[in-house]
Amino acid sequence: INSKGEDAMAFLELKNIYKSYYLDKEEFPVLKGIDLQFDRGEFVSILGESGGGKSTLMNIIGGLDRNFEGEVLVNGKILDHKKEKQLDSYRRATVGYIYQSYNLISHLTVLDNVLVALDMTTLTKEDRRKRALELLDKVGLSEQVKKHPNHLSGGQKQRVAIARALASDPQIIIADEPTGALDAQNTKEVLALLDEIARDGKLVIAVTHSQEVADNGTRIVHLADGKIDGDERLRPAYPIPEDPTEITPRVLPAMASYRTAFKHLTYNFWRNSLIMLGTAIGIFAVLLFSGLGNGINGYIQNQINSLANPQAITVFKNTTGKKMTQEQIQSSLGQTMAANPQSMTISDHNIDRLRKLDNVSSVQPGIMVSAFQLDYNGKKQSGTSLSTWSKAITSDSIKQGHKPKNGEIVLTKQQAIQLSSAKNYKQMVGKTIRLSFTWIDANNNPVPVSGNFKVAGITEGASAGTSITYSTMRALLQKANASTAANFATVNVTNLDSVQGVANKIDNLRGSNNKRILGAITVGSILKTINTYVSLASTVLASIAGISLLVSALMIIVTMYMSVSERTKEIGILRALGERKKDIRRLFTSESVFIGLFSAILALLIVAVVTVIINHALYGLIKYNIVQITVGNVIFAIVIAIVISFIAALLPARRAANLNPIDALAAD
């Protein structure tokens, strides 16, 4: 059999190969005990009719078929077909495939189709490109390198396939009906190329049913009905060159998978762009609602803080002795003030106790009157809340004039309008008005109190009220022989973080009978309640938007499954070239992650434009940017897009990786 003598060890050896197919437990034997030896430098034609087992034999030699009995030895070492990694490595390093149907990857250019095989070598990027171009030049295609396969003729496609098969410099080239789809001229040229490969010291095995093709080789093995019934040497094997070239194989780097995935994504750009748009709209909605939530929270905080100082705590008497919420303190306040103001007084001793609490910078005692009257030029105006000015009120709430000094009063906008007119209310600043109310003396008897005051300023806003200074109030009450006991206090806290802690301590202060004596009201707690509602609303809205993300995930899953079925043949080609299951999985998951990433970028662009439009439209109205997207929101959008697209691709990618390479190659 072997021109180099029976004793020389064959490069490739098949021993006792049996293979059957089963259909409903019925056995159909295809190979019935094949023994063959092949050497490098040979161009062997395996000749036989269709259905004789030629392709099955090729798949066993090529390391694609794992289910058979017998042994395959390469260079004297057994190739273990049970070990998938060993077979992947064998296909990468030792075998090059040329198919009758060319099996080129349609979304890659001619050059990229050859580079796919070179990605699994240790050559540098420049050397890979150089080798691919040299091979394409050798097969006469240097002009076509940028074209896609669908722009080539049959003969040109076959030459690309030959260049790809030779790319990683394999020792065995398997050609399955290499000229089956070619005309006479192309057949002649392809056979000359195969002969040249054998001259290079490679082993070329061509499967054919054409005697003409077989006659071009160095040896013909005849296969009929699963057995070898002829092995004829036409001429000696070519001598092996003195210095055979060698390219070191390696597993496919992750970067190569990402590149291929990106090329496929751009090749099917319009279809993918619709999916990206769908996913982007989902992410955009989530981002917008989160941004609105942030903006509304910020706006409310801004509004409340501009009216009340968040570092000030307003303290009232706790008349129940039990623990009271801020809402309960506020609701009982009005009733008790009107019915029994004397019961609300806070003793000097308790004000001192407040001063001694940790993190308290100062305590201002205050007096609040629940009903009063204003007179100006014969016009009268009743009010329901007059209090002494404290640090709890911010200067921001004064829209005209300034905060009150001794002998001065601050009015609300509504009072100023009613004492003058809607048009001229601002002119009230600087005018003198009369203030009168009823208070009580030391014996709890009612006392009329009144005095003239200069208007210092006008306040606006829900929590702003009528105010005079504490010293002015005391002087006014002393003059009328009325009680000057404080009925509230303002506790100023050193920093914002300590406010809640100080408020809790105030709520816990107890009298001699161990009952609670004071109640604290903070801006923070009002804010907290409002913010809870706002964040609840924005979370609900974002969750509704999240449903569209779920739809996007389903779109990606469907697209990936479609992609797997469309690219079944490509998966087979890549596996035949030596890519692992892991590489195939990565190819599909990375393409999906690209879709997710670009969706997130698109969503960020849309949300940026919409944010500018909304903020611009509403700024004139509320003087605040109502949509506020944070860095956290942006990171969340990118992460969620990548995670969703990655998870969506897992099942389709797994399915792709688990496809049988032989079945995948046979797909249409």
Side-chain angles (χ1 to χ4, degrees):
I1 296 172
N2 188 327
S3 65
K4 303 183 184 183
E6 279 296 339
D7 298 333
M9 185 177 73
F11 177 65
L12 175 70
E13 201 172 343
L14 305 180
K15 285 186 177 174
N16 220 13
I17 304 284
Y18 285 87
K19 165 86 183 177
S20 295
Y21 289 110
Y22 292 88
L23 190 63
D24 295 332
K25 298 193 178 173
E26 193 182 341
E27 186 180 358
F28 295 94
V30 186
L31 299 177
K32 306 166 185 174
I34 303 286
D35 289 292
L36 274 174
Q37 291 186 317
F38 302 97
D39 268 307
R40 285 185 291 193
E42 286 198 277
F43 177 178
V44 183
S45 299
I46 295 184
L47 189 61
E49 294 308 311
S50 293
K54 302 190 304 296
S55 293
T56 304
L57 190 60
M58 284 305 90
N59 287 332
I60 290 171
I61 292 172
L64 287 170
D65 196 334
R66 299 168 62 192
N67 302 316
F68 63 90
E69 287 171 34
E71 285 181 350
V72 177
L73 288 89
V74 182
N75 245 345
K77 290 188 185 127
I78 290 183
L79 185 62
D80 189 343
H81 280 67
K82 300 274 184 292
K83 293 182 179 165
E84 191 166 27
K85 283 184 181 170
Q86 195 181 339
L87 284 191
D88 289 342
S89 160
Y90 166 68
R91 292 198 299 270
R92 247 192 323 271
T94 313
V95 183
Y97 252 105
I98 302 166
Y99 307 90
Q100 177 181 354
S101 53
Y102 325 124
N103 284 354
L104 300 177
I105 297 171
S106 58
H107 64 88
L108 297 179
T109 61
V110 165
L111 179 62
D112 286 335
N113 263 287
V114 179
L115 284 170
V116 158
L118 283 163
D119 281 334
M120 287 177 278
T121 66
T122 54
L123 295 177
T124 62
K125 188 180 175 185
E126 290 74 24
D127 287 343
R128 291 201 297 272
R129 190 180 163 82
K130 187 177 162 203
R131 177 161 175 80
L133 290 168
E134 279 170 3
L135 285 167
L136 287 166
D137 189 39
K138 185 176 176 180
V139 297
L141 287 177
S142 47
E143 301 297 308
Q144 320 289 340
V145 294
K146 288 191 174 149
K147 287 187 179 173
H148 281 85
N150 55 350
H151 296 134
L152 303 179
S153 69
Q156 288 173 322
K157 286 180 188 172
Q158 194 57 290
R159 289 155 192 243
V160 179
I162 291 172
R164 180 182 63 196
L166 295 175
S168 61
D169 199 33
Q171 298 306 305
I172 303 170
I173 300 286
I174 297 173
D176 189 0
E177 298 283 9
T179 60
L182 303 181
D183 59 22
Q185 179 58 33
N186 276 312
T187 297
K188 199 171 159 191
E189 289 173 9
V190 165
L191 289 172
L193 278 167
L194 292 174
D195 190 60
E196 198 183 320
I197 297 166
R199 278 177 200 275
D200 270 351
K202 312 285 188 229
L203 164 58
V204 179
I205 304 173
V207 173
T208 183
H209 58 262
S210 155
Q211 186 66 48
E212 183 202 347
V213 172
D215 290 341
N216 275 274
T218 62
R219 171 180 162 203
I220 299 173
V221 172
H222 199 275
L223 188 65
D225 197 26
K227 291 179 179 168
I228 291 179
D229 67 347
D231 191 342
E232 178 193 353
R233 176 158 298 287
L234 302 178
R235 53 183 198 272
Y238 294 114
I240 295 169
E242 290 300 311
D243 50 344
T245 53
E246 190 149 322
I247 294 177
T248 315
R250 63 167 174 179
V251 296
L252 187 75
M255 204 61 216
S257 294
Y258 304 148
R259 274 201 306 273
T260 308
F262 187 73
K263 282 171 189 163
H264 184 260
L265 185 76
T266 48
Y267 186 75
N268 282 329
F269 183 74
W270 291 112
R271 184 180 77 185
N272 289 324
S273 62
L274 288 173
I275 298 153
M276 288 181 213
L277 184 64
T279 311
I281 288 167
I283 298 166
F284 154 74
V286 173
L287 268 175
L288 185 67
F289 291 134
S290 307
L292 266 170
N294 298 340
I296 293 167
N297 276 339
Y299 177 67
I300 292 169
Q301 197 154 339
N302 187 296
Q303 287 298 298
I304 291 178
N305 289 351
S306 72
L307 300 173
N309 175 2
Q311 270 174 250
I313 301 172
T314 309
V315 180
F316 292 100
K317 182 87 166 274
N318 179 340
T319 50
T320 65
K322 303 187 185 86
K323 184 171 175 61
M324 292 171 85
T325 64
Q326 305 222 359
E327 290 78 8
Q328 288 167 333
I329 297 169
Q330 278 170 311
S331 65
S332 72
L333 191 62
Q335 299 161 359
T336 320
M337 276 285 185
N340 186 6
Q342 194 61 39
S343 69
M344 296 299 287
T345 59
I346 300 174
S347 68
D348 290 347
H349 166 66
N350 283 332
I351 285 184
D352 278 342
R353 284 175 76 183
L354 290 174
R355 286 195 175 105
K356 285 174 184 155
L357 291 175
D358 288 344
N359 299 315
V360 169
S361 57
S362 68
V363 176
Q364 297 168 286
I367 297 166
M368 186 182 280
V369 176
S370 60
F372 62 93
Q373 190 175 313
L374 299 171
D375 292 277
Y376 174 70
N377 273 357
K379 288 186 180 176
K380 290 182 166 38
Q381 161 64 29
S382 298
T384 54
S385 175
L386 165 70
S387 68
T388 54
W389 183 273
S390 73
K391 280 189 182 172
I393 310 165
T394 64
S395 300
D396 287 355
S397 60
I398 297 180
K399 302 301 177 191
Q400 267 77 40
H402 55 82
K403 67 182 187 183
K405 295 175 184 157
N406 287 343
E408 293 183 335
I409 190 166
V410 167
L411 305 179
T412 65
K413 181 180 175 181
Q414 205 53 42
Q415 288 165 343
I417 289 172
Q418 288 185 334
L419 292 174
S420 57
S421 70
K423 214 171 179 183
N424 303 323
Y425 77 94
K426 292 179 185 175
Q427 290 166 9
M428 285 300 295
V429 177
K431 303 282 190 290
T432 302
I433 62 168
R434 186 160 188 78
L435 164 73
S436 49
F437 58 91
T438 303
W439 207 234
I440 43 175
D441 63 13
N443 304 318
N444 252 7
N445 298 317
V447 182
V449 180
S450 62
N452 291 335
F453 293 90
K454 185 177 163 194
V455 177
I458 297 169
T459 65
E460 251 182 75
S463 64
T466 319
S467 297
I468 58 177
T469 64
Y470 180 61
S471 54
T472 303
M473 177 67 91
R474 281 180 66 100
L476 187 67
L477 293 173
Q478 277 166 352
K479 199 171 143 198
N481 285 325
S483 161
T484 58
N487 61 3
F488 81 94
T490 303
V491 174
N492 301 298
V493 184
T494 49
N495 60 48
L496 207 50
D497 295 338
S498 308
V499 171
Q500 201 49 52
V502 173
N504 293 343
K505 283 183 193 158
I506 294 170
D507 281 332
N508 265 318
L509 285 176
R510 293 171 192 263
S512 52
N513 55 3
N514 203 31
K515 288 193 171 175
R516 295 168 192 261
I517 48 173
L518 300 172
I521 294 177
T522 63
V523 175
S525 72
I526 303 166
L527 265 179
K528 211 171 176 180
T529 312
I530 296 171
N531 286 354
T532 305
Y533 293 139
V534 174
S535 58
L536 180 69
S538 60
T539 306
V540 169
L541 289 171
S543 306
I544 294 166
I547 294 169
S548 57
L549 279 183
L550 206 66
V551 176
S552 308
L554 290 172
M555 279 166 61
I556 294 175
I557 291 176
V558 171
T559 310
M560 282 295 137
Y561 267 118
M562 278 165 50
S563 192
V564 170
S565 52
E566 278 172 15
R567 297 169 72 185
T568 304
K569 187 153 230 162
E570 179 189 340
I571 294 162
I573 296 163
L574 296 174
R575 291 303 308 278
L577 284 167
E579 286 198 15
R580 303 160 295 171
K581 283 184 173 182
K582 181 181 175 181
D583 301 325
I584 302 295
R585 275 200 304 273
R586 191 191 283 137
L587 180 67
F588 285 91
T589 48
S590 55
E591 183 171 344
S592 184
V593 166
F594 277 133
I595 289 176
L597 186 62
F598 293 138
S599 302
I601 292 167
L602 185 58
L604 291 172
L605 287 173
I606 300 171
V607 90
V609 172
V610 172
T611 299
V612 169
I613 293 168
I614 293 176
N615 285 344
H616 183 71
L618 294 179
Y619 196 82
L621 205 62
I622 58 173
K623 299 283 181 287
Y624 195 81
N625 289 327
I626 202 68
V627 182
Q628 304 216 352
I629 311 282
T630 63
V631 176
N633 294 147
V634 171
I635 293 167
F636 172 78
I638 294 170
V639 169
I640 199 83
I642 290 172
V643 168
I644 282 178
S645 52
F646 179 75
I647 292 170
L650 283 178
L651 281 173
R654 188 161 170 249
R655 182 178 164 228
N658 289 337
L659 285 175
N660 180 334
I662 300 168
D663 297 341
L665 282 166
D668 290 329

